């Protein structure tokens, strides 16, 4: 966890934004929509529960499904998704790894597993999985957005900035202001203060009344204090 001008962010907080929740729903829809017409028994009940936001019921149904058929990669993947929604990330990663071993071509599997690793603080593994997701979906803005967050946490700032910019290019309405915020943070982390100020100003202009716009304004003022860069992003006490 890091503190930047009293704004706390870490492995969890970037992923809990409205935009990131939308990414989760898009991935889930892509994964279980295929089975909605043909799934039967506990798998069908789990699909319906997941679609309705009933995470606990979905998890229980998918647990029954994998017990009945331990070779069903789709059921393991959906179980991992349900556990991600319930914030049971260690159990989610376990289920998703089993799904990946059974069928590495499952839609969204690398993204789902990457999200679980991010929440568990296993940044290197998250980075690898989310980069694989980008490779499979180069035109997917959400793939670049999630990968950018993982890369940012490894402090590969230029690589992260590239992902954030691409996300904003592909879906400006969803990611423009958020990407500017994280680009500003990355530039500050790299010691490029003027570039950071410009990115924060871009975020403020794009969404002045949003949470990210307010945060960007605070960050830009902090940078104007001309304090050493290593005091801007530091481990939380």
């Amino acid at each position: 966890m890091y503190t930047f001008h009293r704004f706390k962010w870490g492995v969890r907080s970037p992923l809990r934004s409205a935009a990131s929740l939308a990414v989760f729903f898009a991935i889930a829809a892509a994964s279980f929509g295929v089975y909605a017409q043909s799934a039967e028994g506990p798998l069908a009940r789990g699909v319906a529960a997941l679609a309705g936001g009933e995470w606990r019921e979905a998890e229980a149904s998918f647990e029954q499904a994998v017990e009945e058929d331990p070779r069903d990669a789709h059921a393991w993947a959906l179980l991992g998704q349900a556990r991600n929604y319930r914030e049971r990330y260690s159990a989610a990663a376990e289920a998703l790894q089993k799904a990946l071993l059974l069928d590495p071509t499952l839609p969204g599997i690398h993204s789902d597993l990457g999200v679980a690793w991010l929440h568990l603080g296993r940044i290197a593994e998250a980075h690898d999985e989310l980069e694989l997701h980008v490779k499979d979906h180069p035109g997917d803005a959400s793939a670049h957005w999630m990968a950018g967050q993982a890369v940012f946490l490894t402090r590969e700032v230029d690589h992260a900035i590239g992902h954030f910019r691409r996300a904003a290019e592909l879906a400006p309405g969803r990611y423009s202001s958020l990407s500017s915020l994280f680009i500003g943070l990355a530039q500050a982390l790299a010691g490029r203060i003027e570039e950071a100020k410009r990115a924060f100003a871009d975020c403020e202009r794009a969404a002045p009344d949003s949470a990210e716009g307010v945060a960007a304004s605070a960050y830009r003022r902090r940078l104007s204090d001309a304090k050493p860069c290593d005091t801007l992003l530091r481990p939380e006490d």
Side-chain angles (χ1 to χ4, degrees), residues 103-154:
D103 184 356
T105 68
L106 283 170
I109 188 67
H110 294 297
S111 179
D112 287 340
L113 184 53
V115 166
W117 288 142
L118 270 180
H119 283 281
L120 291 168
R122 294 177 59 171
I123 306 304
E125 291 94 333
H127 173 278
D128 291 344
E129 293 297 332
L130 291 168
E131 288 287 9
L132 284 171
H133 186 62
V134 168
K135 183 178 179 181
D136 291 341
H137 305 279
D140 182 353
S142 66
H144 286 280
W145 170 248
M146 299 294 286
Q149 293 182 53
V151 175
F152 177 73
L153 292 171
T154 68

Side-chain angles (χ1 to χ4, degrees), residues 167-193:
E169 290 171 359
L170 290 168
R174 179 184 295 178
Y175 293 115
S176 180
S177 59
L178 284 168
S179 291
S180 293
L181 175 64
F182 274 84
I183 288 169
L185 289 169
Q187 297 286 21
L189 188 61
R192 299 192 285 259
I193 303 305

Side-chain angles (χ1 to χ4, degrees), residues 190-209:
R192 299 192 285 259
I193 303 305
E194 292 307 314
E195 290 89 339
K197 288 181 181 178
R198 284 195 290 272
F200 290 141
D202 288 343
C203 180
E204 291 178 75
R205 283 192 295 271
D209 299 322

Side-chain angles (χ1 to χ4, degrees), residues 4 6 17 19 26 33 37 45 67 82 153 169 196 198 207 210 214 235:
F4 188 76
R6 297 182 297 172
S17 68
Q37 299 298 322
R45 292 194 298 272
E67 184 176 347
L153 292 171
E169 290 171 359
R198 284 195 290 272
S210 66
V214 172

Side-chain angles (χ1 to χ4, degrees), residues 38-53:
S38 59
E40 298 178 354
L43 190 61
R45 292 194 298 272
V47 166
L50 197 62

Side-chain angles (χ1 to χ4, degrees), residues 39-63:
E40 298 178 354
L43 190 61
R45 292 194 298 272
V47 166
L50 197 62
E54 298 172 346
W55 316 134
R56 186 184 299 274
E57 292 81 356
E59 181 180 12
S61 295
F62 294 137
E63 284 175 346

